[in-house]
Amino acid sequence: MKPDAAMTRMIEQVRRGGVSDERVLASIERVPREMFVAGPFRPRAYENATLPIGYHQTISAPVVVGLMTQALNVTDRMKVLEVGTGSGYQTAVLALLCRRLYTIERHKALFRDGEKRLEKLGITNVTALLADGSGGWPEQAPFERIMVTAAALDVPPVLLDQLAVGGVMLLPIGTGKEDQRLTRVVRTAEGAETEDLGGVRFVPLVPDLAKG
Ligand code: SAH
């Protein structure tokens, strides 16, 4: 299948999966997913599937990226923090929708490759950091939106602190692969309100920089 046809089919699947926000769909359509998967998986880049990106990490399925981006409800006036750059695919989709995106990855090789891809795509509103993202990015806080694409045991208080009042954080919460819940957290003046958006499967949020 030609890339154009494969992309059209992928967008159709994302739409059928529940993504109706046209801005989100347009953003996904602008990002060539084949740039974000490793060589052997490139022929499958437009499948609605989770694929390996090396180092035991994965790029989320397009429908998950679409649903999470939609649930975050980002506008072009917002400053956003992403924890878990991975391939940089979700980063690219978010960057096209927000004013400025700060993204943190703990794995050096992924961090480097991700940055290169964003540069190649001409995306200039992203600042990437090689660090343990569970500490957030205090110098740049507060953020109107935070997306964590690795599973935490609970809402990290440090990240909640860096969320603006009225801001939204989206993160998978759970211990094992089987029992993670995608959770939306809205910061209020008094604390936070959480909402369960359904079951998901992410790699775990791991402390410290990766070795090697
Ligand atoms: N959104 C990514 C996929 C994320 S996979 C994509 O579109 O490709 C989860 C990523 O989170 C992995 O790359 C992993 O290395 C990273 N990660 C896990 N714990 C982290 C932490 N504490 N700080 C920063 N990155 C972390």
Side-chain angles (χ1 to χ4, degrees):
M1 201 183 301
K2 282 189 174 167
D4 280 3
M7 175 67 98
T8 305
R9 200 182 60 164
M10 186 184 93
I11 294 291
E12 214 29 66
Q13 284 172 329
V14 172
R15 211 186 269 280
R16 270 204 304 274
V19 179
S20 54
D21 185 330
E22 293 298 334
R23 291 170 54 251
V24 173
L25 291 162
S27 176
I28 291 174
E29 197 159 12
R30 280 177 61 191
V31 181
R33 194 165 182 259
E34 84 257 16
M35 271 179 65
F36 293 83
V37 300
F41 295 98
R42 226 157 267 162
R44 299 182 54 199
Y46 292 97
E47 285 179 21
N48 189 23
T50 305
L51 295 171
I53 55 172
Y55 315 98
H56 307 292
Q57 307 303 321
T58 50
I59 177 172
S60 304
V63 72
V64 174
V65 170
L67 288 170
M68 285 182 68
T69 308
Q70 179 168 269
L72 201 64
N73 196 17
V74 173
T75 73
D76 58 8
R77 306 173 75 116
M78 289 176 179
K79 181 165 155 182
V80 181
L81 173 68
E82 179 192 41
V83 176
T85 319
S87 68
Y89 179 68
Q90 172 76 75
T91 316
V93 171
L94 274 177
L96 295 175
L97 294 166
C98 70
R99 178 170 61 80
R100 181 102 224 147
L101 179 61
Y102 294 86
T103 185
I104 309 177
E105 171 57 51
R106 67 184 286 276
H107 209 295
K108 194 170 187 176
L110 292 172
F111 160 78
R112 244 198 254 124
D113 292 352
E115 263 205 319
K116 268 190 228 145
R117 290 173 180 134
L118 296 170
E119 198 183 311
K120 219 170 170 181
L121 283 174
I123 293 178
T124 56
N125 61 337
V126 175
T127 313
L129 182 69
L130 176 65
D132 175 359
S134 24
W137 200 319
E139 298 81 3
Q140 294 299 338
F143 300 95
E144 275 97 33
R145 296 288 185 268
I146 297 179
M147 184 187 282
V148 183
T149 60
L153 298 181
D154 209 338
V155 179
V158 177
L159 295 184
L160 188 60
D161 259 3
Q162 295 181 21
L163 191 61
V165 173
V168 179
M169 169 158 51
L170 208 60
L171 78 168
I173 294 186
T175 44
K177 280 203 160 172
E178 307 299 330
D179 60 358
Q180 295 174 16
R181 311 298 301 178
L182 181 62
T183 308
R184 177 161 50 195
V185 183
V186 179
R187 173 132 187 219
T188 61
E190 298 78 35
E193 280 165 14
T194 63
E195 186 188 348
D196 183 343
L197 301 183
V200 282
R201 238 176 210 242
F202 277 83
V203 294
L205 191 67
V206 181
D208 304 323
L209 283 180
K211 309 244 180 315

